[in-house]
């Protein structure tokens, strides 16, 4: 049996919650068959067994073995299924750049966005909005005139930011601003990515993201 | 210009910089370096190479900057193949990345919570730090190294912080070899390696730095 057919026969399960899309984009880009299981808001015993350290989704279970943390999962997928749709650059320097900026997205976009969606006081949302715009402008500079962050091909860094692009409608609603007005190239990039088959089948409708924030804010006792 | 010019923007006592220096030593790589004055004024080179964070370490390879210590260690391993630091298999690599991420998120800040506090807060910080080390002890299991039989990437990521442990022990009033004996044994084992022994700073220098930081923060 050739190694690529053997890999296709291996069992891949993704334990996730639909707003976290990073791993789905990677699996779809690679054209992989996988079982998708929603795990939140109530954490199942499988989740706590497979990720006993952080008890968080997403978790990829490949032949019974768990891989945790979304970008680590994306890199694992790229590593194992290296025969197709390469996500990380081959060149070590380009790879280091992609990892650095993905980490920036994780630290700076997630943090600032979270201040907007989960604010208790209006000034927190205003702070979050200012930080988010600053950080998105930096990323716009990194994108430059390229079609994707990877250049001509969609890749790891595009996936890292695309996971948050889905939350833009929620940031805009709760921060009262338009991201397109501030960062038009980034929105153009997001629309370009959304046209990819791997992405379009997974992207939630904008209202759904706003609804989920409203629902969670109520659960956390935030007005 | 020689084929591979490596230049490290460094701070001797930083656990993050120590990682990079150990990785370079493990690979037998020659490099030049510059100690940054993090409290006085950051050099123009640092500001230019790392405009986003202005932090060390920064490794310049033929003038091109690579940032973030874990990233730098990956880069060194991917660019200079021998000896390999990361496991050969994809799953092993994902586990190494997971624990490196855990170490990055928890160990330095967990230790900082100890030196930044006193009284009840200190007790809480100490217990949380011991809990972090216990989780790492779980990852170590009965292996000689975090990487398995051989010293590797994950050992490099954690061992840099060990020069700060005596300071945490002194302030927190605990002993790692009592609370987490396997980690204590692992530290001794790693210090037996030339790359580690030559790179780790003297613990008393860390003590002095932390003493200064505590005064700066009005804790003592």
């Amino acid at each position: 049996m050739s190694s690529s057919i053997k890999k296709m026969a291996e069992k891949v399960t993704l334990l996730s919650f639909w707003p976290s899309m990073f791993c789905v984009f990677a699996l779809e880009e690679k054209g992989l068959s996988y079982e998708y299981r929603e795990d939140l808001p109530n954490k199942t015993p499988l989740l706590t067994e497979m990720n006993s350290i952080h008890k968080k989704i997403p978790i990829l279970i490949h032949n019974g073995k768990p891989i945790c943390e979304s970008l680590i999962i994306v890199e694992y997928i790229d590593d194992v299924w290296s025969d197709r749709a390469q996500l990380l650059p081959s060149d070590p320097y380009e790879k280091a750049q992609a990892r650095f900026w993905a980490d920036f997205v994780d630290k700076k976009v997630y943090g600032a966005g979270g201040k907007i969606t989960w604010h208790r006081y209006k000034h927190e949302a205003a702070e979050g909005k200012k930080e988010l715009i600053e950080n998105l402008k930096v990323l716009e500079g990194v994108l430059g005139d390229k079609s994707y962050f990877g250049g001509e091909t969609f890749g790891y860094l595009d996936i890292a930011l695309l996971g948050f692009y889905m939350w833009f409608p929620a940031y805009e609603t709760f921060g009262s601003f338009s991201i397109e007005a501030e960062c038009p190239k980034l929105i153009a990039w997001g629309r370009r990515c959304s046209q990819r088959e791997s992405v379009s089948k997974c992207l939630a409708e904008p209202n759904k993201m706003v609804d989920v924030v409203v629902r969670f804010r109520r659960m956390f006792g935030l007005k | 210009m020689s084929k591979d010019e490596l230049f490290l923007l460094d701070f001797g006592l930083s656990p993050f910089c120590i990682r990079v220096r150990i990785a370079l030593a493990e690979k037998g790589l020659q490099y030049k370096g510059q100690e940054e004055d993090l409290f006085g004024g950051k050099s123009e080179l640092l500001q230019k190479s790392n405009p986003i964070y202005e932090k060390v370490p920064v490794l310049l390879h033929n003038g091109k900057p690579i940032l973030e210590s874990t990233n730098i260690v990956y880069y060194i391993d991917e660019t200079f193949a021998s000896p390999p630091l990361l496991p050969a298999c994809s799953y092993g690599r994902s586990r190494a990345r997971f624990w490196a991420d855990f170490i990055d998120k928890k160990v330095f800040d967990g230790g900082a919570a100890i030196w930044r506090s006193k009284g009840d807060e200190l007790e809480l910080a100490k217990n949380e730090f011991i809990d972090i080390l216990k989780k790492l002890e779980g990852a170590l299991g009965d292996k000689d190294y975090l990487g398995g039989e051989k010293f590797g990437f994950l050992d490099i990521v954690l061992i840099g912080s060990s020069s700060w442990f005596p300071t945490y022990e002194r302030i927190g009033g605990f002993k790692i070899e009592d609370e987490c004996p396997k980690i204590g044994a692992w530290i001794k084992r790693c210090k037996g390696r030339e790359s580690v022994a030559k790179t780790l700073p003297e613990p008393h220098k860390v003590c002095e730095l932390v003493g200064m930081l505590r005064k700066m923060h009005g804790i003592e």
Side-chain angles (χ1 to χ4, degrees), chain B residues 6 22 30 59 71 110 136 143-144 150 158 174 179 202:
Chain B
L6 293 165
I22 293 175
Q30 301 298 315
L59 183 71
N71 227 14
L136 288 165
K143 306 192 296 288
D144 279 350
K150 290 201 290 191
L158 183 58
F174 66 104
E179 303 285 347
E202 302 282 319

Side-chain angles (χ1 to χ4, degrees), chain A residues 13-28:
Chain A
T13 303
L14 180 69
L15 226 61
S16 192
F17 183 49
W18 66 265
S20 172
M21 288 270 108
F22 308 92
C23 307
V24 175
F25 295 145
L27 290 163
E28 291 290 334

Side-chain angles (χ1 to χ4, degrees), chain A residues 93-109:
Chain A
Y93 184 74
E94 297 302 320
K95 210 184 281 197
Q97 293 286 92
R99 285 184 182 132
F100 172 79
W101 287 112
D103 179 65
F104 175 88
V105 168
D106 206 29
K107 283 188 173 102
K108 301 287 191 176
V109 176

Side-chain angles (χ1 to χ4, degrees), chain A residues 53-54 65-69 72 75-76 79-80 92-93 95-96 99-101 103-104 107-108 138, chain B residues 52-53 64-65 67-68 71 74-75 78-79 90-91 93-95 97-99 101-102 105 135:
Chain A
I53 297 294
H54 297 308
K65 296 200 275 198
I67 302 96
C68 311
E69 300 292 298
I72 293 174
E75 201 159 342
Y76 175 81
D79 221 0
V80 172
Y93 184 74
K95 210 184 281 197
R99 285 184 182 132
F100 172 79
W101 287 112
D103 179 65
F104 175 88
K107 283 188 173 102
K108 301 287 191 176
V138 170
Chain B
I52 298 287
Y53 300 120
K64 295 203 287 193
L67 313 172
E68 299 290 294
N71 227 14
Y74 288 137
Y75 176 81
E78 284 157 9
T79 309
S90 306
Y91 186 71
R93 278 200 288 279
S94 76
R95 292 311 288 165
R97 291 189 212 287
F98 173 84
W99 284 109
D101 180 63
F102 176 88
K105 284 181 169 125
K135 289 194 162 92

Side-chain angles (χ1 to χ4, degrees), chain A:
Chain A
M1 205 189 253
S2 82
S3 78
S4 54
I5 295 173
K6 187 165 177 272
K7 281 198 191 104
M8 277 164 65
E10 293 165 352
K11 186 155 160 72
V12 179
T13 303
L14 180 69
L15 226 61
S16 192
F17 183 49
W18 66 265
S20 172
M21 288 270 108
F22 308 92
C23 307
V24 175
F25 295 145
L27 290 163
E28 291 290 334
E29 277 289 312
K30 296 279 187 181
L32 298 170
S33 303
Y34 60 98
E35 180 198 7
Y36 178 85
R37 284 160 71 163
E38 283 273 307
D39 203 274
L40 285 186
N42 300 309
K43 294 180 183 182
T44 63
L46 182 63
L47 182 157
T48 45
E49 182 202 325
M50 288 287 163
N51 189 357
S52 56
I53 297 294
H54 297 308
K55 300 184 177 55
K56 283 183 180 177
I57 56 93
I59 305 170
L60 188 79
I61 306 169
H62 184 205
N63 292 333
K65 296 200 275 198
I67 302 96
C68 311
E69 300 292 298
S70 36
L71 291 178
I72 293 174
I73 295 171
V74 173
E75 201 159 342
Y76 175 81
I77 291 167
D78 200 37
D79 221 0
V80 172
W81 290 278
S82 53
D83 54 342
R84 65 194 84 169
Q86 192 178 344
L87 298 175
L88 271 152
S90 321
D91 173 67
Y93 184 74
E94 297 302 320
K95 210 184 281 197
Q97 293 286 92
R99 285 184 182 132
F100 172 79
W101 287 112
D103 179 65
F104 175 88
V105 168
D106 206 29
K107 283 188 173 102
K108 301 287 191 176
V109 176
Y110 180 61
K115 280 186 189 173
I116 301 173
T117 49
W118 315 121
H119 71 270
R120 186 171 289 277
Y121 306 108
K122 285 254 181 276
H123 73 87
E124 288 166 348
E127 255 169 51
K129 171 184 149 188
K130 182 169 175 277
E131 273 175 40
L132 184 69
I133 292 170
E134 259 168 40
N135 297 330
L136 289 182
K137 281 190 195 293
V138 170
L139 288 164
E140 229 183 14
V142 174
L143 179 66
D145 291 316
K146 305 194 294 286
S147 299
Y148 299 106
F149 281 95
E152 288 307 304
T153 48
F154 180 84
Y156 177 82
L157 186 49
D158 300 282
I159 288 176
L161 184 56
L162 206 56
F164 293 106
Y165 171 77
M166 293 185 28
W167 288 84
F168 285 8
Y171 300 154
E172 289 173 318
T173 303
F174 288 91
S176 307
F177 69 115
S178 155
I179 294 179
E180 184 160 16
E182 304 285 348
C183 304
K185 276 185 177 171
L186 218 52
I187 297 297
W189 160 85
R191 291 201 179 114
R192 194 176 302 124
C193 293
S194 306
Q195 282 161 14
R196 296 180 76 75
E197 197 190 326
S198 61
V199 176
S200 62
K201 43 176 14 183
C202 321
L203 265 191
E205 283 170 32
N207 290 339
K208 214 174 166 194
M209 296 313 293
V210 177
D211 289 346
V212 92
V213 174
V214 167
R215 184 158 48 107
F216 274 87
R217 281 183 68 84
R218 227 176 265 138
M219 264 170 65
F220 299 149
L222 301 165
K223 282 185 204 159

Side-chain angles (χ1 to χ4, degrees), chain B residues 45-84:
Chain B
L45 184 58
L46 176 57
Q47 290 172 48
K48 188 178 134 204
S49 308
N50 191 355
I52 298 287
Y53 300 120
E54 289 189 2
K55 279 184 178 178
V56 288
V58 175
L59 183 71
L60 292 144
H61 184 199
N62 297 332
K64 295 203 287 193
I66 301 100
L67 313 172
E68 299 290 294
S69 59
T70 319
N71 227 14
I72 296 172
V73 178
Y74 288 137
Y75 176 81
I76 290 169
D77 199 39
E78 284 157 9
T79 309
F80 306 100
S82 181

